[in-house]
Amino acid sequence: MPEGKIIKALSGFYYVLDGENIIQCRGRGVFRKRNITPLVGDYVEYEAENEKEGYVLAVKERKNDLIRPPIANIDQAVLVFSVLKPSFSTMLLDRFLVLIESKNIEPVICLTKMDLAEEPDELDKYIKDYREIGYTVVETSSKAMQGLNTLQDCLAGRTSVFAGQSGVGKSSLLNAIRPDLELKTDEISNSLGRGKHTTRHVELIPAAGGLVADTPGFSSLDFDEVEAEELSGCFPEIAERGSACKFRGCLHLNEPKCAVKQAAENGEIPSYRYEHYLQFIEEIKERKPRY
C-alpha cells in the first residue's frame, strides 16, 4: 500500500506528498464513523485510482498534534511575535509557549519587525530572559533582511509550524525566505491595531530545506487540555526549581517552603513569568469541568 504525507487539506480533499508526486485524495467514510479527521502533517496510507487521484485509507500514529491550527507531527513551532504593530506581549507569548510545551513540541521564538523597535533596552531584557530560560530567540526584520539566515538554519531538515497573532508578519517572513511564494499579506488595521487574517488554510510548504506550515493567525488561546498539575512543567525554569520544593505536588501558590516562590522573590525567575503562571493556573482552575 503506498504511503505519503498530507501537505494540504482543502474543501474535503487531502493532498498527499509521496516522493515528488502529489496525489489529491478524499477520505474514506470509515474516518467519519471512527471520528478520525486526517490532519496536515499526517503520514497516511492511500489507494491511488490513477497518478493524480486516490483515497486516504489509514492514518499512521501521530507523535503530536495541535487543534488550532489543525496540524500533526510537528518538530518545532516558530512562535512569531512582532516588536510593534501589534506590540510585543510577554503574556501572549507565554500562552503560546504553554500550549507548545504541553504538546512536547520544541518552540523557537521569532521576533519580527526589529527595525521598528521603540524601546530596545526593554526588549533586550526580555530576549535575555527567554534565552537564559533556554529558548532559542531569533531577531528578524523582513524589510531590513535581518536574521533570515539564522531562521533558515533553524528550519533546515525539520517540519515547522509558524504560529502567532495576525499581523505579526508570518507571511512576510516566508515571502522573504521564498520570494516565489508571493503569499498574500495585509497592512495592520489602524483602528483595531491588528492584522487581517490573510492565511485561510493550513499547508506545508517546502522552505529552507525543511517543511513549513503557514497557518491562519489567531489572537487567543485557551488551556483546555492543560491540567493545573501539569502547568509548572510548561515553564522550564519553574519545573527546574520545583524539585526543591518541600511538598511533592506543590503548585507553587501558597505552600510553605516553596522553592519556586523563593526563586521568584530572589529574582531568579522573571517576575512577569511567575505572575503569568499564577494567572494561568487560576484560569485552569476556574474553567468549566469537562464530561
Side-chain angles (χ1 to χ4, degrees):
M1 192 68 65
E3 298 182 4
K5 182 173 187 170
I6 297 176
I7 59 169
K8 182 167 71 170
L10 190 63
S11 303
F13 288 101
Y14 302 102
Y15 296 83
V16 178
L17 178 67
D18 184 355
E20 294 183 358
N21 296 326
I22 296 176
I23 318 297
Q24 178 180 280
C25 296
R26 287 194 177 277
R28 287 290 194 197
V30 67
F31 290 124
R32 285 190 294 276
K33 291 175 186 172
R34 296 179 186 169
N35 204 22
I36 296 172
T37 302
L39 298 177
V40 170
D42 271 334
Y43 292 98
V44 298
E45 292 181 359
Y46 70 94
E47 180 180 63
E49 292 190 318
N50 52 56
E51 290 184 1
K52 295 295 180 185
E53 297 175 313
Y55 287 91
V56 173
L57 300 180
V59 175
K60 301 284 190 178
E61 186 176 353
R62 297 166 180 158
K63 70 175 182 179
N64 54 48
D65 60 63
L66 295 174
I67 297 172
R68 293 182 300 172
I71 192 165
N73 299 313
I74 295 300
D75 296 320
Q76 66 184 5
V78 180
L79 305 181
V80 186
F81 276 73
S82 58
V83 301
L84 198 68
K85 295 185 178 180
S87 297
F88 178 66
S89 164
T90 56
M91 166 71 86
L92 191 57
L93 174 56
D94 286 346
R95 294 184 79 88
F96 271 87
L97 285 169
V98 165
L99 174 70
I100 296 305
E101 292 277 8
S102 73
K103 294 289 187 177
N104 295 312
I105 299 171
E106 182 182 339
V108 173
I109 300 169
C110 178
L111 299 179
T112 63
K113 309 182 187 179
M114 288 297 295
D115 54 304
L116 300 180
E118 290 183 338
E119 298 180 15
D121 290 346
E122 183 181 16
L123 190 63
D124 284 346
K125 180 188 176 298
Y126 289 136
I127 291 171
K128 182 172 179 286
D129 286 344
Y130 283 101
R131 281 179 175 156
E132 286 184 350
I133 290 167
Y135 291 118
T136 298
V137 183
V138 183
E139 303 165 56
T140 71
S141 166
S142 300
K143 285 190 176 178
M145 300 300 281
Q146 173 188 347
L148 298 183
N149 289 338
T150 304
L151 181 59
Q152 287 176 308
D153 289 343
C154 290
L155 301 178
R158 315 198 78 188
T159 298
S160 308
V161 57
F162 272 41
Q165 230 177 336
S166 299
V168 295
K170 298 189 297 296
S171 296
S172 295
L173 267 183
L174 284 171
N175 283 339
I177 292 170
R178 262 197 63 183
D180 60 301
L181 288 175
E182 297 182 349
L183 294 173
K184 186 182 175 189
T185 61
D186 274 339
E187 294 300 315
I188 297 294
S189 161
N190 288 328
S191 59
L192 296 175
R194 62 175 185 262
K196 301 173 186 174
H197 293 260
T198 55
T199 310
R200 301 297 178 189
H201 63 276
V202 180
E203 180 175 359
L204 285 172
I205 302 166
L211 289 172
V212 174
D214 186 26
T215 65
F218 47 94
S219 56
S220 66
L221 290 165
D222 298 318
F223 301 127
D224 291 336
E225 297 183 56
V226 181
E227 301 300 330
E229 297 77 17
E230 300 168 344
L231 183 64
S232 63
C234 302
F235 285 77
E237 73 277 37
I238 291 178
E240 182 185 340
R241 290 168 176 84
S243 59
C245 291
K246 181 179 180 182
F247 295 103
R248 216 173 143 188
C250 181
L251 291 179
H252 322 303
L253 302 175
N254 302 306
E255 299 91 337
K257 296 188 178 179
C258 171
V260 170
K261 278 177 63 181
Q262 189 66 51
E265 289 169 8
N266 294 343
E268 297 169 29
I269 293 176
S271 59
Y272 60 90
R273 287 275 290 174
Y274 182 59
E275 286 165 14
H276 294 164
Y277 169 81
L278 295 179
Q279 289 177 48
F280 296 166
I281 204 163
E282 193 62 32
E283 184 178 323
I284 290 169
K285 287 181 165 186
E286 288 181 357
R287 76 182 174 205
K288 292 179 180 176
R290 290 170 296 171
Y291 299 101

